[in-house]
Amino acid sequence: MSLEFIQVERDGKVGLIRLNRPKQLNALNLKMVDEIVETLESMDEDPEIRAIVITGNEQAFAAGADIDEMTEVDSIDMLLRDQFRVWDRIALVRKPIIAAVSGFALGGGCELVMNCDIVIASESARFGQPEVNLGVMPGAGGTQRFTKALGKVKAMELLLTGESLTAEEALHYGLINRVVPVEVYLDEAMKLANRIVGQPPIAVRLIKQSVLKAIDLPLDEGLDFERKNFYLLFSSEDQKEGMRAFAQKRKPDFKGK
Ligand code: CAA
């Protein structure tokens, strides 16, 4: 697929996706979402990449799904288009995805952030689900993921008023990991990604899967999932390397095997 609305870069073992539709504040049109999902999947398959960073620009991460593409369609058009189905594939990406967010992360932009695993924000970042202002509601997971992240009462307030959270508020509610000055938000995300790519990839993969299970599974099933994956890691070379390196007081050299 030719990339029209995103730019793709590599920095060592980190894949970087830049949303690039600046005049529309990176509003996510259908082709752009396809490009994002296909690129995430190809980075997930690429053995040279071990973590992914997704970012926009200083002014906007993404100001939502593209309203122009939705204004005049009817329900059956929406049903046949089924535009949010492709979003489900983001949750299947096995490598860690870090969002580096500055400016607007609204509607689909906020939903994209909530599909990432770690979020670094600049002081100017704004997170919200303003769909109610348009006569609709979130469609790419906003009512569910916002509520799981913020708790019922705060999510309800924001979803019903359409108001957004500042970066500091988002940090307070646990929606994001860190707020940093705008000059360094992407550097911070890249630094974090570079730290993760030095970790054993199979353990990283199973930890990500297990944390995601914790959101949906009852505790006993989550514990069972965790335990089986813990035992599974004892067949990896990286487990032997990590534990022997500890005993020998040297830095481990993880191979992803
Ligand atoms: N879709 C299409 N175009 C958009 C857009 C969107 N979501 N957000 C911004 N744009 C466009 C504007 O139309 C404008 O284009 P023109 O210059 O051609 O007029 C350009 O981006 C700049 O926007 P503004 O002039 O509005 O910039 P501003 O700084 O005054 O305001 C803003 C910024 C508060 C983010 C405002 O643009 C806004 O409210 N955008 C819409 C936010 C929104 O409602 N998002 C939810 C969309 S629906 C959705 O996402 C459903 C879902 O669950 C997936």
Side-chain angles (χ1 to χ4, degrees):
M1 169 185 286
S2 71
L3 300 178
E4 219 180 319
F5 301 114
I6 67 171
Q7 288 174 344
V8 176
E9 294 166 40
R10 270 275 298 281
D11 175 20
K13 292 187 160 62
V14 180
L16 173 62
I17 299 175
R18 289 181 194 266
L19 309 184
N20 187 32
R21 216 186 155 215
K23 285 196 187 123
Q24 292 81 16
L25 301 178
N26 289 334
L28 300 160
N29 62 25
L30 298 171
K31 166 108 178 12
M32 190 171 175
V33 176
D34 283 346
E35 290 179 16
I36 295 167
V37 174
E38 291 201 5
T39 303
L40 285 171
E41 286 177 340
S42 84
M43 287 180 172
D44 203 25
E45 290 301 320
D46 184 341
E48 296 304 315
I49 290 180
R50 291 192 183 174
I52 301 165
V53 173
I54 181 159
T55 194
N57 55 51
E58 273 185 33
Q59 207 193 354
F61 179 76
D66 188 335
I67 298 167
D68 297 339
E69 280 185 339
M70 297 185 283
T71 307
E72 302 303 336
V73 300
D74 66 24
S75 312
I76 298 303
D77 295 331
M78 283 307 260
L79 187 76
L80 293 176
R81 182 195 279 182
D82 203 5
Q83 72 188 62
F84 298 127
R85 202 161 80 104
V86 66
W87 287 70
D88 296 339
R89 286 159 51 191
I90 302 174
L92 302 177
V93 172
R94 295 156 297 184
K95 290 174 185 165
I97 308 174
I98 300 173
V101 181
S102 184
F104 300 110
L106 301 177
C110 188
E111 288 163 317
L112 181 55
V113 168
M114 291 190 287
N115 268 289
C116 297
D117 302 304
I118 295 175
V119 187
I120 306 296
S122 88
E123 291 154 341
S124 76
R126 294 288 178 277
F127 301 86
Q129 298 289 158
E131 288 87 346
V132 70
N133 297 330
L134 301 168
V136 290
M137 60 185 285
T143 61
Q144 304 304 297
R145 291 200 174 93
F146 221 38
T147 305
K148 287 188 179 189
L150 305 177
K152 178 192 151 188
V153 295
K154 195 66 196 173
M156 193 70 89
E157 177 192 339
L158 294 170
L159 288 159
L160 296 182
T161 60
E163 282 166 11
S164 55
L165 293 173
T166 64
E168 283 299 336
E169 289 167 336
L171 182 66
H172 170 78
Y173 285 107
L175 187 68
I176 64 174
N177 296 72
R178 223 171 279 168
V179 183
V180 297
V182 67
E183 298 77 24
V184 298
Y185 74 98
L186 181 55
D187 290 345
E188 286 291 314
M190 293 302 286
K191 245 190 257 171
L192 187 59
N194 272 300
R195 170 127 176 66
I196 293 169
V197 302
Q199 303 291 45
I202 302 172
V204 166
R205 172 172 162 175
L206 296 180
I207 290 168
K208 170 170 170 165
Q209 263 188 306
S210 301
V211 173
L212 292 181
K213 290 280 183 207
I215 298 168
D216 300 321
L217 288 183
L219 183 62
D220 58 341
E221 287 177 39
L223 290 174
D224 187 48
F225 186 81
E226 175 189 87
R227 198 163 302 153
K228 284 185 177 137
N229 282 311
F230 180 79
Y231 297 154
L232 180 64
L233 284 171
F234 283 74
S235 290
S236 72
E237 290 176 22
D238 285 347
Q239 174 266 325
K240 298 286 174 291
E241 169 63 9
M243 292 193 175
R244 283 174 188 156
F246 177 79
Q248 294 160 7
K249 301 192 188 307
R250 61 174 173 84
K251 215 170 161 285
D253 178 17
F254 294 122
K255 299 268 195 269
K257 291 184 180 168

